[in-house]
Amino acid sequence: MTSLLEKMTLEEKIAQLIQLATFFYKGAESSGKITGPMEDMGINEDIIKNSGSVLGASGAAEVISIQKEHLKENRLGIPLLTMADIVHGYKTIFPVPLAIGCSWDTELAEKSAEIAALEASVSGVHVTFAPMVDLVRDPRWGRVMETTGEDPYLNSEFARAFVRGFQGPAFEKDTNCVAACVKHFAAYGAAEGGRDYNTVDMSERQLRETYLPAYKAALDEGCEMVMTAFNTVDGIPATGSRKLMRDLLREEWGFGGVMISDWGAVKELIPHGFAADEKEAAQRSLEAGVDIEMMTACYAKNLKMLVAEEKVKEELIDEAVLRILELKQKLGLFDNPYRGADEAGEEELVLSGKHREAAYKLAAKSCVLVKNNNVLPLKASQKAALIGPFAKSGDILGPWSWQGSKKDAVTMEAGIKRQVGDSQLFVSEGSGIETITEEQLEKAAQAAEKADVLILALGEASDMSGEAGCRADIQLPRAQLHLIEHMKKYNKPIVTVLFNGRPLDLHGVIEASDAVLEAWYPGTEGGAAAADILYGKVNPSGRLVMSFPYAAGQIPVYYNHFTTGRPKGAPDAQVRYVSQYLDIPNAPLLPFGFGLSYTTFSYSGFELSSQRLSLKESITASINVQNTGDRAGEEVVQFYVQDMVGEVVRPVKELKYFQKIELQPGETKQVTFTITEDQLRYHHQDLTFKSDPGTFTVYAGPNSRDTSDLVFELVM
């Protein structure tokens, strides 16, 4: 690629660093005269014909058409990269990543990414802006639905799985794969107040300990690209942070791939107050390490001038261009600029029956049963009223289901009708998402009066979550809470199914319901999966990967918190002068790792192979888990560790291992966790990463709250 770089003019090099939306390009279905804010960008024909990548092109025919037109006009025949947000499915939509995390099944997560990559690649996409691995502790933040939760170890395991799925073992040769782009670097999920694009301010030790591991895991798995975050970190916008990108990412971690800004993030250095104008924004971003500027023109309009003024070295531009060219070469675009794009393949593969089956399986394993007063599973002989704004709605795909169609989604009504006859089911909207009328209540009442059991399909519209979908009040909208109150009057069992993109404040729901199934945004097959759980065809096995707050005032609330000098509940604690709220509990309503089943499990025989762990040896913690119920079920056995005394304060628990096991009625399995010294390391005051000798507690159980514990010593 060096020889090609040497043939390029400075203008051609700079254009390679620009990513533009589809409608800028000849051959695009939406191509036309550029007007409004896009016209104000100042992008001319020379920049377009020499640009390096296109954002959001979709469909084999369109991508092939754009690429053909581009290659006709590009002097050196350099093909475009096509990139898009394929977050949890292309056309076949899987559950949102937060829900996928609740499956605790990395193999199925990997499969979902593999299928998404196959559908995307055959439709002409080369790079997906996924996985999003931002650790999140604040459910007010809209983009919580894109993450796999609040734990760094679990997030890292899913980060690796998604990268394996998207890129495959040899994506350079396999045109059914796409390059992955991990995002958002760094710590975007820690935005203050749970408000999108907001400030992130934390110690470097906290950053390294909790927020960086999942990005590192994705890169260790071979992830090809990294996207910058919108937020500041330590007072510096991430997109202009040399410390994050050059010092940490490239020098310390050795990342040699492509860095891309998020949409408009380079120009946003100006309102951040980090750059005076577009010229300075371009200089700061390039010097920090951003190779591709997405959808603003700071590079296009200013880098040539900055080179002429000797404020930017052309070598920096050359480095960025070379990384982009090398990615294109890896993808084989110089030999086959259309890569996997195949119209006939689209017809065969996209939204195929096999892919829908995989989406169903993951949706069924992602739903979490959080309450059941012996109401579920339902019997097909029971007359049921399905009531609520999600009764017939296809708005269950969730945000970032870019090519997904609500028309393709299996609704709750359709799913339940596969279980019962029309004469057994009475359906009513009950309310809107945020509005309710007397007529809706009257029709809901008519349905309720005919039924033996009431199924309430409630939740958030998809635009109430996702990017810029932040909410200060994370209860269900008042209209739906009013609907629940009205349904209680009929004194019939209430089963609530929730469709949402964040942990909710469930007050007004959980007390009024006899059973609650958290279905999240379950994707294309969501209604079928949820219905099969309600009627017992599937035994629920999902477990929460984020704590559900008792009230929004607790936020952030998470299981792996520090203790304090005055912990509530300590043996010698005072009644008042301890770390507590006067009006609510400290603990979340539902803890990390929690979830119910239609069977029961007992834990016994927890033991350590030794109470002493040395540097070069390992010990094991083992526990027996028995299915004490009358039907087969899956249990997620979780192991946590606590460092009792550290150079810096350590969390009260840290997840270190988990295993999902299936047990037949009466069956017992022993689950073993191998403990090694490296699992006990943490970042010290000087940021060295090492362990300390001393006492540790290991916990085992079905969730982060209900555990047994044993003690061992690490000896040096």
Side-chain angles (χ1 to χ4, degrees):
M1 290 294 102
T2 304
S3 59
L4 177 58
L5 181 67
E6 291 172 350
K7 296 175 185 177
M8 297 173 70
T9 66
L10 178 57
E11 292 83 355
E12 288 171 332
K13 293 175 188 176
I14 292 169
Q16 280 294 308
L17 311 184
I18 310 302
Q19 180 166 104
L20 299 172
T22 308
F23 50 76
F24 280 93
Y25 293 90
K26 294 178 181 177
E29 294 176 4
S30 56
S31 178
K33 181 175 174 56
I34 307 301
T35 59
M38 297 299 103
E39 184 179 24
D40 295 339
M41 284 177 64
I43 298 295
N44 59 40
E45 290 296 324
D46 283 338
I47 294 171
I48 295 170
K49 73 181 182 182
N50 290 305
S51 61
S53 57
V54 56
L55 172 65
S58 65
E62 180 175 56
V63 170
I64 291 170
S65 176
I66 290 172
Q67 195 77 287
K68 279 183 177 179
E69 292 298 322
H70 179 77
L71 292 173
K72 286 178 186 177
E73 298 190 342
N74 187 274
R75 182 177 71 89
L76 296 172
I78 302 174
L80 287 164
L81 279 165
T82 60
M83 306 189 193
D85 290 279
I86 315 299
V87 176
H88 56 109
Y90 179 74
K91 188 72 172 175
T92 304
I93 304 301
F94 291 85
V96 293
L98 183 61
I100 293 175
C102 291
S103 72
W104 293 66
D105 193 323
T106 55
E107 289 185 9
L108 284 182
E110 181 177 339
K111 187 66 177 179
S112 74
E114 178 186 321
I115 289 172
L118 175 57
E119 292 192 359
S121 62
V122 79
S123 303
V125 177
H126 305 143
V127 176
T128 177
F129 297 134
M132 188 274 230
V133 302
D134 303 326
L135 184 137
V136 187
R137 292 169 165 173
D138 193 331
R140 295 172 299 181
W141 192 49
R143 300 192 80 162
V144 64
M145 47 70 55
E146 286 183 69
T147 183
T148 49
E150 69 187 41
D151 182 76
Y153 168 72
L154 192 62
N155 277 7
S156 296
E157 292 298 295
F158 276 105
R160 290 178 179 274
F162 287 132
V163 172
R164 288 195 302 269
F166 286 130
Q167 295 191 169
F171 85 97
E172 299 95 329
K173 299 176 182 178
D174 187 352
T175 58
N176 291 330
C177 300
V178 295
C181 176
V182 67
K183 62 185 185 184
H184 305 83
F185 197 73
Y188 187 30
E192 288 182 355
R195 200 172 75 241
D196 221 343
Y197 320 117
N198 203 14
T199 303
V200 171
D201 192 8
M202 67 176 67
S203 68
E204 184 173 351
R205 196 202 62 77
Q206 176 79 322
L207 179 70
R208 288 177 175 271
E209 191 78 10
T210 308
Y211 289 87
L212 293 184
Y215 305 111
K216 183 64 162 57
L219 296 180
D220 287 346
E221 204 64 42
C223 188
E224 286 292 331
M225 288 182 60
V226 175
M227 179 184 287
T228 68
F230 287 116
N231 54 276
T232 59
V233 178
D234 195 23
I236 300 172
T239 304
S241 176
R242 178 191 292 268
K243 183 177 180 179
L244 278 179
M245 289 184 280
R246 292 211 183 269
D247 297 348
L248 175 62
L249 194 62
R250 297 214 184 275
E251 295 298 324
E252 184 178 333
W253 289 359
F255 176 64
V258 175
M259 284 286 305
I260 185 170
S261 79
D262 207 333
W263 181 299
V266 171
K267 189 174 180 180
E268 288 175 19
L269 298 187
I270 301 170
H272 268 299
F274 190 68
D277 50 29
E278 292 186 20
K279 185 178 179 181
E280 187 176 6
Q283 180 177 350
R284 285 186 175 271
S285 295
L286 186 70
E287 289 177 343
V290 176
D291 299 320
I292 299 177
E293 178 184 7
M294 184 196 294
M295 283 305 294
T296 46
C298 301
Y299 282 8
K301 293 191 287 188
N302 295 286
L303 285 184
K304 183 178 179 181
M305 187 187 309
L306 287 164
V307 170
E309 294 173 353
E310 298 185 349
K311 292 181 178 179
V312 165
K313 294 180 180 179
E314 189 169 350
E315 288 81 358
L316 282 181
I317 296 173
D318 289 349
E319 289 174 10
V321 173
L322 191 58
R323 284 189 283 264
I324 295 165
L325 295 178
E326 286 173 345
L327 178 57
K328 293 181 179 185
Q329 185 180 42
K330 267 189 179 181
L331 288 162
L333 296 180
F334 288 99
D335 296 323
N336 178 12
Y338 311 111
R339 193 166 156 84
D342 181 350
E343 291 183 73
E346 277 183 302
E347 290 294 324
E348 176 187 354
L349 296 170
V350 174
L351 201 62
S352 67
K354 185 177 180 181
H355 292 179
R356 293 189 73 128
E357 183 180 340
Y360 166 84
K361 186 175 183 181
L362 188 49
K365 289 184 179 291
S366 298
C367 294
V368 184
L369 183 64
V370 298
K371 182 177 181 180
N372 185 21
N373 289 342
N374 297 315
V375 174
L376 296 178
L378 300 175
K379 298 179 177 63
S381 59
Q382 291 176 287
K383 292 182 179 180
L386 174 62
I387 298 168
F390 284 92
K392 298 182 178 183
S393 175
D395 188 21
I396 60 173
L397 305 182
W400 297 115
S401 49
W402 176 47
Q403 290 293 311
S405 172
K406 296 175 185 178
K407 295 178 181 178
D408 294 323
V410 179
T411 64
M412 276 299 296
E413 178 185 31
I416 291 175
K417 282 186 174 179
R418 296 177 184 180
Q419 304 292 332
V420 301
D422 287 349
S423 62
Q424 298 294 105
L425 182 65
F426 312 100
V427 183
S428 174
E429 183 182 35
S431 75
I433 299 294
E434 299 185 88
T435 60
I436 191 167
T437 66
E438 288 300 323
E439 182 181 1
Q440 287 172 322
L441 281 176
E442 177 60 31
K443 290 181 178 179
Q446 293 171 7
E449 287 170 351
K450 301 174 186 175
D452 302 314
V453 61
L454 311 183
I455 303 171
L456 303 185
L458 310 174
E460 301 175 303
S462 59
D463 63 3
M464 295 171 72
S465 187
E467 185 171 355
C470 306
R471 297 181 61 203
D473 180 356
I474 56 171
Q475 284 190 291
L476 278 183
R478 294 288 176 258
Q480 295 181 59
L481 294 176
H482 181 61
L483 175 63
I484 297 173
E485 291 173 4
H486 193 76
M487 292 298 101
K488 283 292 290 182
K489 298 176 183 178
Y490 296 93
N491 294 316
K492 296 180 180 182
I494 292 178
V495 176
T496 299
V497 183
L498 295 170
F499 298 93
N500 48 288
R502 57 168 51 83
L504 296 169
D505 175 348
L506 291 180
H507 288 307
V509 179
I510 202 159
E511 315 96 314
S513 304
D514 298 283
V516 178
L517 180 68
E518 175 56 85
W520 308 107
Y521 296 120
T524 303
E525 289 290 322
D532 284 357
I533 290 173
L534 295 186
Y535 283 86
K537 184 177 179 181
V538 172
N539 191 352
S541 62
R543 303 292 185 264
L544 299 177
V545 292
M546 280 191 74
S547 306
F548 272 52
Y550 186 90
Q554 289 179 318
I555 297 170
V557 59
Y558 48 95
Y559 88 90
N560 48 352
H561 58 83
F562 296 151
T563 187
T564 71
R566 294 190 177 191
K568 183 178 181 181
D572 59 348
Q574 300 183 47
V575 175
R576 180 179 178 90
Y577 296 101
V578 294
S579 181
Q580 66 179 343
Y581 297 104
L582 295 178
D583 52 349
I584 61 171
N586 284 7
L589 180 68
L590 300 171
F592 176 87
F594 178 79
L596 301 174
S597 170
Y598 291 153
T599 189
T600 53
F601 302 97
S602 67
Y603 286 67
S604 64
F606 189 28
E607 61 182 10
L608 286 166
S609 61
S610 173
Q611 292 182 326
R612 288 171 61 87
L613 171 66
S614 65
L615 287 175
K616 296 182 180 180
E617 296 179 347
S618 63
I619 62 174
T620 59
S622 301
I623 197 163
N624 298 320
V625 183
Q626 183 180 21
N627 183 342
T628 53
D630 58 3
R631 62 178 293 170
E634 288 182 297
E635 174 73 321
V636 179
V637 185
Q638 303 161 39
F639 289 88
Y640 300 84
V641 169
Q642 180 183 13
D643 187 344
M644 302 308 293
V645 179
E647 185 186 274
V648 299
V649 174
R650 306 301 301 133
V652 295
K653 283 190 179 85
E654 294 179 276
L655 181 70
K656 294 295 182 181
Y657 180 70
F658 66 91
Q659 188 175 335
K660 194 168 190 176
I661 58 173
E662 184 172 7
L663 295 171
Q664 298 300 314
E667 183 182 5
T668 299
K669 285 184 180 178
Q670 185 179 71
V671 180
T672 300
F673 164 40
T674 300
I675 307 171
T676 57
E677 176 273 333
D678 63 292
Q679 294 169 313
L680 309 179
R681 297 174 187 173
Y682 66 94
H683 291 87
H684 285 59
Q685 293 181 38
D686 61 359
L687 298 182
T688 56
F689 190 62
K690 59 185 179 181
S691 61
D692 294 330
T695 303
F696 291 79
T697 302
V698 58
Y699 303 86
N703 58 66
S704 61
R705 180 189 63 197
D706 305 317
T707 55
S708 302
D709 59 90
L710 295 169
V711 174
F712 67 92
E713 297 286 328
L714 174 64
V715 295
M716 297 296 196

